[in-house]
Amino acid sequence: LAAIALTLVTVLLIKHGKRRYAWVTAVPLVWDLVVTMTASYQKVFSDNPVLGYFAQRDRYQDAHDAGELLAPAKTPEQMEQVITNSTLNGVLQALFALLVLVVVANAVFVIARALRTRGPIATTEEAYAPSSLVAPAGLFATAEEKRLLAEQDRLADAGVR
């Protein structure tokens, strides 16, 4: 999730013409991708049953087929549950890693297009508009904030937006 969020912010910075600040999110993004993709690869493809989901699944399936019980399972049903969970975890881990890579690949294309245009590019985000909502800035409203809240309530009761 961090990689997706950092990717989004990096793309937005570049699309809005703030390229000189993109490194602030791009550096942690690269680190996050290296770490999480390495861990995902190890969790999915490791031959060590302590580390890899599918290796664990195979170990428990072989023991289950032989009629053995491996800790922490105490019953054949618990062995089946470990097999199911390991399989599901491996599939979900691989799927999520793939989805992150798709998001990052798409971001690379958007960033390349933005860099070629030299300046901010059109976005689908709404333009900045100051808020007309009134709310206390802290835990307790100041006298001025109380006055503004009362005025807002009065206008709302009168049907004025």
Side-chain angles (χ1 to χ4, degrees):
L1 293 176
I4 292 172
L6 288 167
T7 301
L8 173 67
V9 174
T10 303
V11 168
L12 289 175
L13 284 170
I14 292 172
K15 281 177 73 173
H16 288 278
K18 310 264 188 216
R19 293 182 181 120
R20 69 176 177 252
Y21 302 113
W23 71 271
V24 174
T25 55
V27 170
L29 170 61
V30 170
W31 173 254
D32 185 74
L33 285 173
V34 168
V35 171
T36 57
M37 289 301 129
T38 301
S40 292
Y41 181 84
Q42 290 174 345
K43 291 300 286 179
V44 173
F45 296 110
S46 176
D47 292 334
N48 183 350
V50 174
L51 186 60
Y53 289 125
F54 294 120
Q56 180 184 45
R57 182 225 176 272
D58 292 341
R59 179 175 178 226
Y60 275 77
Q61 184 66 55
D62 292 344
H64 184 267
D65 293 344
E68 301 172 16
L69 291 176
L70 298 177
K74 294 182 173 79
T75 66
E77 292 78 24
Q78 289 179 346
M79 290 286 288
E80 292 171 7
Q81 191 64 52
V82 170
I83 294 165
T84 301
N85 290 350
S86 295
T87 304
L88 182 61
N89 285 341
V91 169
L92 290 176
Q93 183 76 41
L95 180 64
F96 192 70
L98 179 64
L99 290 174
V100 168
L101 291 175
V102 167
V103 168
V104 171
N106 183 53
V108 168
F109 288 116
V110 172
I111 289 170
R113 186 175 51 134
L115 292 176
R116 280 195 306 263
T117 60
R118 301 242 184 245
I121 62 173
T123 65
T124 57
E125 292 88 27
E126 290 289 327
Y128 172 76
S131 175
S132 61
L133 297 177
V134 178
L139 185 58
F140 300 105
T142 64
E144 177 64 16
E145 290 170 338
K146 288 179 184 177
R147 187 189 64 72
L148 291 171
L149 287 168
E151 179 67 15
Q152 180 179 340
D153 290 342
R154 186 188 65 75
L155 291 173
D157 290 343
V160 177
R161 288 186 59 156

